[in-house]
Amino acid sequence: MPTHNDDVDWDRWPVSDYLAENYREVHASDAAVIAHHSAFYRRLPPGRIARSVEFGAGPNLYPLMLASAACRRIDAVEAGASNIAYLEDQICHRLDASWLPFHTLCRRLNPEVPATLAGALAPVNIVHADVRTLPPGAYGLASMHFVAESVTEDFAEFADFCRAFVRTVRPGGHLVAAFMENMPTYRIGPASRWPGCPVNPATVTEVFTPLTRDLDVTHIDVDPTLPDYGDSGMVLLTGVAEAV
């Protein structure tokens, strides 16, 4: 039987191992995502979006930095207690120096990102909640990074998470996302095992086409400097939400 999201204790997500494996330096894949998303955000006037959501924020801070170029408030919505603790420590108390090169790159590619890392994260409001409980149409922009395909082994549940993601924005609202391509069930650190749902540009397009317009789906090749989780790269998406 496939593992579903509710079968997993997300409070135990291994934040330190995850960051050590993925975000202590700017990998080529990070730079490619940041470049892709910066082009998206440059199309939006500074401060245009009153309220946006990072859908399943996790401990990754660079999507929040990117959104700060266009969003006056960013709700970082996350269910896992360990991720919430990390976000609160970073945003409310201290910032890890390892995030500074990410901020430098974000600002170089979009000068509307605030000049300091603290300034870029100042609009962030941390919300400890299940993303599936968010009210529909509450946001002008929704961002999601490595969530829907990394919380379940069931493609139908993956599609449900994608619909919930689109539903958080009002019709006409903006969408930006990144997915691991062909991500199997994977390990973080020496022991922990987590569900994965293999997707690719075709399946992402299939799920989002009925939910969006102006959909653009692209691919990044696998990054050999990252741990071998069994994926084959990344799938990047932008679009405009239709009524769901």
Side-chain angles (χ1 to χ4, degrees), residues 182-236:
N182 291 317
M183 185 73 155
T185 295
Y186 58 101
R187 290 188 181 276
I188 300 290
S192 66
R193 181 177 179 274
W194 304 91
C197 179
V199 300
N200 57 44
T203 53
V204 170
T205 300
E206 174 189 344
V207 169
F208 279 89
T209 293
L211 311 175
T212 63
R213 57 182 168 84
D214 300 332
L215 181 65
D216 183 73
V217 177
T218 59
H219 169 265
I220 294 175
D221 288 337
V222 68
D223 186 339
T225 69
L226 288 171
D228 182 5
Y229 294 121
D231 63 278
S232 57
M234 297 179 183
V235 180
L236 307 182

Side-chain angles (χ1 to χ4, degrees), residues 30-43 66 109 175-178 216-220 235-238:
D30 301 315
V33 174
I34 290 169
H36 174 272
H37 287 9
S38 293
F40 162 77
Y41 280 110
R42 286 196 304 268
R43 300 199 298 266
L66 290 163
L109 292 173
L175 304 167
V176 59
D216 183 73
V217 177
T218 59
H219 169 265
I220 294 175
V235 180
L236 307 182
L237 172 151
T238 61

Side-chain angles (χ1 to χ4, degrees), residues 47-108:
R48 169 71 174 272
I49 306 298
R51 189 180 178 201
S52 71
V53 61
E54 186 63 32
F55 188 93
N60 180 5
L61 301 188
Y62 79 67
L64 307 174
M65 303 175 207
L66 290 163
S68 70
C71 304
R72 302 196 297 275
R73 168 173 164 163
I74 304 162
D75 285 352
V77 181
E78 169 61 40
S82 59
N83 284 327
I84 287 290
Y86 180 78
L87 290 171
E88 289 176 342
D89 182 55
Q90 292 296 292
I91 292 169
C92 302
H93 300 290
R94 63 180 179 85
L95 285 163
D96 289 341
S98 56
W99 291 113
L100 290 169
F102 290 88
H103 172 258
T104 297
L105 180 60
C106 290
R107 181 164 166 79
R108 177 158 58 84

Side-chain angles (χ1 to χ4, degrees), residues 114-140:
T116 66
L117 176 55
L121 298 176
V124 176
N125 174 52
I126 301 166
V127 180
H128 192 180
D130 186 325
V131 290
R132 295 169 296 183
T133 68
L134 290 171
Y139 297 99

